[in-house]
Amino acid sequence: MRILAIGDIHGCLRAFDALLEQVDPQPVDVVITLGDYVDRGPDSKGVLDRLAELRTRCRLIPLKGNHDLMMIAARKDEEHFSEWLKCGGTQTLQSYNATADWKSFVKNIPPEHWQFLREMCVAYHETTTHFFVHANAYPDCPLAEQPDYMLYWEQIEEGAWRPHESGKTMICGHSVQRSGRPLVLDHAVCIDTWVYGDGWLTCLDVESEVYWQANQHGEIRIRNLGFRR
């Protein structure tokens, strides 16, 4: 069994498909996706469809990201909808063939996609050695007591990072690594490697510390974090 973490996908279906083909998740594998499935990239609809398929291949544990929360909020009213459009929602609408009109948006999103984002995605996940969040975590606060703004919105900063009181290693996304390489800190790894820009989508095997990356051109590379605690 492998425990595999996949960083922020952001509508980049081509990279996601290339990565899944390379990693080839098996039924015994646990795949933890770190959220931000939508916005910025060209095919958010395709990404959500692919996640539904992935649930039939392995044990999928999808986390919720701040962009997923913004899309959920956009369904409530036109004010939230307008704010979401400024943060990458326009590309998401295009993938559903919906116009920049609130009623068109609500009508064109399939119910199963709303169900996935609202009911199936969780705030965090933990194992005996690691915990997984979209954004960040207070070092002296149990995961169940972390506020939403920390789990979904707070950037991880190299100079300000302190390991969590649990002693577990945090695996997160959200804080964009424009170098295309994961950020490796003391008991923390950030794997948002800017796939929607000029970077890569990262999948990390948390036990072996091998990671696979794919970009929107379908290119693949395989590396190792190269550290031990």
Side-chain angles (χ1 to χ4, degrees):
M1 181 191 78
R2 298 176 296 175
I3 299 176
L4 305 170
I6 298 178
D8 306 35
I9 304 170
H10 275 301
C12 293
L13 180 62
R14 186 175 184 188
F16 191 30
D17 280 344
L19 194 65
L20 291 176
E21 182 177 358
Q22 184 70 31
V23 175
D24 191 22
Q26 299 297 304
V28 295
D29 292 333
V30 177
V31 176
I32 303 157
T33 49
L34 299 182
D36 278 6
Y37 310 111
V38 302
D39 299 349
R40 305 200 189 282
D43 199 354
S44 295
K45 178 183 182 299
V47 167
L48 292 177
D49 285 337
R50 190 70 71 247
L51 286 164
E53 295 174 14
L54 187 58
R55 291 179 63 216
T56 69
R57 295 174 53 184
C58 61
R59 183 188 172 198
L60 177 66
I61 301 175
L63 304 191
K64 199 172 291 181
N66 63 302
H67 280 265
D68 311 314
L69 288 174
M70 283 190 284
M71 181 173 171
I72 292 169
R75 190 184 185 188
K76 297 177 181 177
D77 56 53
E78 296 190 46
E79 182 178 353
H80 284 94
F81 177 71
S82 296
E83 289 300 315
W84 174 59
L85 292 183
K86 300 173 185 177
C87 299
T90 298
Q91 293 93 326
T92 298
L93 285 180
Q94 291 169 350
S95 74
Y96 286 96
N97 293 318
T99 63
D101 172 79
W102 182 65
K103 292 181 180 179
S104 173
F105 157 67
V106 172
K107 178 181 177 181
N108 278 274
I109 309 300
E112 57 269 23
H113 286 187
W114 288 123
Q115 183 183 24
F116 176 82
L117 293 173
R118 296 177 63 185
E119 300 176 18
M120 297 182 186
C121 294
V122 297
Y124 64 87
H125 178 71
E126 60 183 320
T127 67
T128 56
T129 56
H130 293 75
F131 68 90
F132 305 80
V133 295
H134 174 66
N136 206 342
Y138 279 124
D140 53 356
C141 181
L143 289 177
E145 299 175 14
Q146 296 281 340
D148 285 353
Y149 72 82
M150 180 60 73
L151 292 175
Y152 300 123
W153 295 93
E154 189 72 15
Q155 298 283 322
I156 184 170
E157 297 181 12
E158 189 168 355
W161 166 253
R162 287 187 294 142
H164 192 257
E165 63 178 10
S166 66
K168 298 179 181 182
T169 296
M170 180 176 79
I171 309 296
C172 68
H174 185 63
S175 298
V176 179
Q177 305 303 307
R178 286 178 170 78
S179 67
R181 299 185 301 272
L183 173 66
V184 181
L185 304 175
D186 181 19
H187 284 74
V189 183
C190 177
I191 59 171
D192 181 354
T193 42
W194 202 36
V195 64
Y196 65 87
D198 294 324
W200 300 78
L201 178 63
T202 298
C203 175
L204 172 66
D205 183 329
V206 301
E207 299 297 334
S208 71
E209 297 178 350
V210 170
Y211 65 91
W212 299 261
Q213 294 185 305
N215 62 22
Q216 281 288 81
H217 302 292
E219 298 169 331
I220 296 289
R221 64 186 188 185
I222 306 172
R223 298 183 175 182
N224 193 288
L225 290 182
F227 80 107
R228 292 293 185 272
R229 287 168 297 279

